[in-house]
Amino acid sequence: MNKSFTNTGKLVKFILKRDRIITTVWIVALVLFSMAVAPTLDSMFSQPEARTQFGQSFNNPVMVAMMGPVYGLDNYTTGVMYAGTMLLWILIAVAIMNIFFVVRHTRADEESGRVEVIRSLPTGRIAILHATMISSGIINTILAVLLGFALAVLGIEGMKLADCILYGAVVGATGLVFASIAAIFSQLSSNKSTASGLSFLAVGVFYLIRAAGDVQGSELLSCISSLGLAQRSQVFVENNIIPIIILEAEAIIITIAAYMLNSLRDMGQGFIAPRQGRETAAKSMLSPFGFSLRLMYKSLIIWIVLMFVLGASYGSVISDIPTFVGDSPEYLQVIGVPEMLLNTMSDSQKAQIIIDYFGVFVVMMMTLLAFVPVMNASLKLRSEEREGRQEQLIAMAVPKTRYFVSYIILAFIISILAQLSTAYGLYISTSMTGSGLFTLDGLIKSFLVYLPAIWVMIGFVVFMTGAFPKATGAVWGFYGVIFVVAFLGGMPDLLPKWFQNISPMQYIPKLPMDTFEFTPLIILTIIASALIGIGLAYFKKRDLYIA
């Protein structure tokens, strides 16, 4: 048995060195984002009465389903508010980080042939998986410690050092659970796409289980979900350490199960057999675009359905937003409603204005989510190049630029379909409630007006892929800037103006509240076209870069 773990230590060093840049970016981004939000909440809700009112506005079935249960209303400090509004989203982000990390160093490396090369050296059968899990433990520990101390340094009311360390521990323990889940699916699946897809599906299922348990008041059902169990730590309120112990025990048990599965299967195989392909390729696959679409159609369908469902979920509750918001000026600031505007309106007019501004907020948040499938489609070419598969296609009678353009076209199509599916989901759900809050034409315009901003991201990905293939990871940094600027859009004084101007979404008119203008849309489209043209020119001239 000891021989199964031979040279694990050397593999841990190798994995950490190989992922040092991307892991550092993840940790720094999560810590800085957490540090930015905490002072924001503290400055917005400086009075105890305002914090209590804000917490009570969240204590309804709709917000509980989205955010989780509200704790500590009798002493609703900034720390309690921070945990209630931010913990769940940080947990999901950390889960994504761990899924990417584990799948990349297990199933993806096995699929690309790296594991076979390493196993040809004196390494144990389970050493690679064991080293990956140890590395994940180290990364989550570093994140937990840095996150805890970073929040404590801020010196915010209700966020003592011990409480902040516990907050970091909850985040780290939850990350370990999802790392172990990714390890399990990496053994069950025969390719990285399925392993990643099933792991992300697990995150979604856990989120829904938690939401159902929280709304029904079933602690047992909520605690079945790792996300719900983590929230039961009640950080900054009760500071319950038992959920952390349970989460770590879960991670250990699931990891052991992954080790057992790894020891039973052959290299390159999974317990879920892949579907047999056709004997002859369909005619649609005989073109670069058809081939690209065949590689990505499953994820395309999943994203379209997901955007539709999320749009419908927001639409089903949007009519109740004025009741939940009440007269809280802080909450109104979050969704961008000018308080002075409401002072001159009747109650019915106030309700409609709040709904309109919340609708603008939903459109912006859903557009941020639409960036992800578009970026994945744009980056797919770089992934194919890195894995060496593009080289075999280019060796045939397939022009490089034509192959590249097929993925660009696919990214443009996804951007349009994602926005349309969300608009239809939002419209259908509001229509079914009988509220008639939005017209279909108005929603389509509100969503499609953001397309030039999304196209700028496509252009940036194309430019980086063509000119700087080694640095394509920078596109996620650009997306992080766009996300932060949009997320803190209701509090513009917190970010320097030049930083806000980096985001292309800043130049998009927020319909129906703003006046529609063609000029910024045309300029953004020209910028996107220029970036795509430069990227294609560089890609045509350079050699393939496999690394």
Side-chain angles (χ1 to χ4, degrees), residues 56-292:
Q56 289 173 344
S57 69
F58 270 68
N59 197 20
N60 62 79
V62 175
M63 300 309 297
V64 167
M66 291 184 180
M67 310 285 289
V70 180
Y71 296 113
L73 282 176
D74 54 338
N75 184 25
Y76 206 64
T77 64
T78 303
V80 179
M81 178 190 298
Y82 178 80
T85 56
M86 288 301 300
L87 178 58
L88 180 61
W89 309 115
I90 292 295
L91 294 178
I92 292 175
V94 172
I96 293 172
M97 178 189 75
N98 280 276
I99 290 171
F100 277 135
F101 180 82
V102 173
V103 172
R104 180 166 57 250
H105 292 288
T106 53
R107 174 52 64 182
D109 277 358
E110 196 167 339
E111 189 176 348
S112 65
R114 289 191 181 95
V115 171
E116 185 175 3
V117 174
I118 295 174
R119 286 282 299 277
S120 66
L121 302 170
T123 56
R125 183 181 181 88
I126 313 177
I128 296 176
L129 176 59
H130 189 44
T132 301
M133 299 310 295
I134 291 176
S135 301
S136 176
I138 293 172
I139 291 170
N140 282 284
T141 301
I142 293 173
L143 173 62
V145 172
L146 290 178
L147 188 59
F149 279 105
L151 292 176
V153 166
L154 297 175
I156 295 174
E157 178 191 2
M159 301 181 73
K160 300 178 181 178
L161 177 60
D163 302 342
C164 294
I165 293 297
L166 184 68
Y167 180 91
V170 172
V171 173
T174 307
L176 290 176
V177 171
F178 285 100
S180 62
I181 290 174
I184 279 282
F185 285 125
S186 293
Q187 311 311 311
L188 295 176
S189 309
S190 57
N191 58 74
K192 63 180 180 181
S193 298
T194 306
S196 299
L198 292 175
S199 300
F200 289 129
L201 179 62
V203 177
V205 170
F206 279 150
Y207 182 88
L208 294 176
I209 292 174
R210 177 214 56 79
D214 290 344
V215 172
Q216 297 174 16
S218 173
E219 290 294 304
L220 177 60
L221 183 59
S222 295
C223 290
I224 291 176
S225 166
S226 299
L227 299 174
L229 180 60
Q231 289 184 309
R232 266 56 190 179
S233 60
Q234 298 188 35
V235 185
F236 304 118
V237 183
E238 295 293 335
N239 291 327
N240 188 1
I241 198 173
I242 294 178
I244 299 176
I245 297 174
I246 297 175
L247 287 170
E248 291 178 346
E250 287 181 2
I252 293 173
I253 293 172
I254 299 173
T255 299
I256 292 174
Y259 287 177
M260 294 176 64
L261 293 175
N262 183 266
S263 64
L264 292 175
R265 68 177 180 85
D266 293 331
M267 185 186 302
Q269 301 299 312
F271 288 91
I272 301 176
R275 184 173 63 88
Q276 294 294 325
R278 298 174 45 167
E279 292 185 4
T280 57
K283 291 183 178 180
S284 59
M285 290 183 60
L286 299 181
S287 66
F289 177 78
F291 181 72
S292 304

Side-chain angles (χ1 to χ4, degrees), residues 382-438:
R382 176 61 189 137
S383 175
E384 294 292 296
E385 181 182 9
R386 185 184 295 111
E387 299 298 335
R389 290 187 287 267
Q390 182 189 150
E391 183 179 2
Q392 300 182 39
L393 288 175
I394 300 301
M396 304 170 65
V398 179
K400 286 176 63 177
T401 52
R402 185 183 175 191
Y403 183 55
F404 199 174
V405 167
S406 66
Y407 284 101
I408 299 174
I409 294 174
L410 189 58
F412 275 94
I413 293 175
I414 293 175
S415 68
I416 297 172
L417 292 180
Q419 294 295 82
L420 287 177
S421 62
T422 312
Y424 274 102
L426 193 60
Y427 173 74
I428 290 174
S429 60
T430 53
S431 299
M432 291 178 65
T433 60
S435 58
L437 297 173
F438 306 110

Side-chain angles (χ1 to χ4, degrees), residues 315-497:
S316 63
V317 301
I318 199 169
S319 61
D320 297 324
I321 289 299
T323 303
F324 299 150
V325 171
D327 296 323
S328 171
E330 294 83 7
Y331 198 106
L332 295 175
Q333 185 180 3
V334 170
I335 62 176
V337 181
E339 185 180 359
M340 297 297 295
L341 181 64
L342 299 179
N343 295 333
T344 61
M345 295 184 174
S346 63
D347 291 341
S348 60
Q349 290 175 325
K350 287 181 181 179
Q352 185 60 48
I353 284 294
I354 292 173
I355 289 174
D356 288 341
Y357 270 93
F358 186 77
V360 171
F361 180 78
V362 169
V363 171
M364 185 169 58
M365 291 296 105
M366 294 303 297
T367 299
L368 286 175
L369 185 60
F371 272 90
V372 178
V374 171
M375 293 169 67
N376 285 336
S378 305
L379 288 168
K380 182 65 175 177
L381 179 80
R382 176 61 189 137
S383 175
E384 294 292 296
E385 181 182 9
R386 185 184 295 111
E387 299 298 335
R389 290 187 287 267
Q390 182 189 150
E391 183 179 2
Q392 300 182 39
L393 288 175
I394 300 301
M396 304 170 65
V398 179
K400 286 176 63 177
T401 52
R402 185 183 175 191
Y403 183 55
F404 199 174
V405 167
S406 66
Y407 284 101
I408 299 174
I409 294 174
L410 189 58
F412 275 94
I413 293 175
I414 293 175
S415 68
I416 297 172
L417 292 180
Q419 294 295 82
L420 287 177
S421 62
T422 312
Y424 274 102
L426 193 60
Y427 173 74
I428 290 174
S429 60
T430 53
S431 299
M432 291 178 65
T433 60
S435 58
L437 297 173
F438 306 110
T439 64
L440 181 58
D441 291 344
L443 281 175
I444 291 178
K445 290 177 182 178
S446 297
F447 276 94
L448 292 186
V449 75
Y450 279 96
L451 285 178
I454 302 177
W455 294 344
V456 169
M457 175 59 79
I458 296 176
F460 184 64
V461 174
V462 172
F463 172 75
M464 295 301 294
T465 302
F468 305 100
K470 295 182 181 180
T472 49
V475 301
W476 293 103
F478 184 37
Y479 175 69
V481 171
I482 296 174
F483 183 89
V484 170
V485 171
F487 191 82
L488 300 178
M491 298 147 281
D493 296 337
L494 296 174
L495 299 172
K497 190 67 177 178

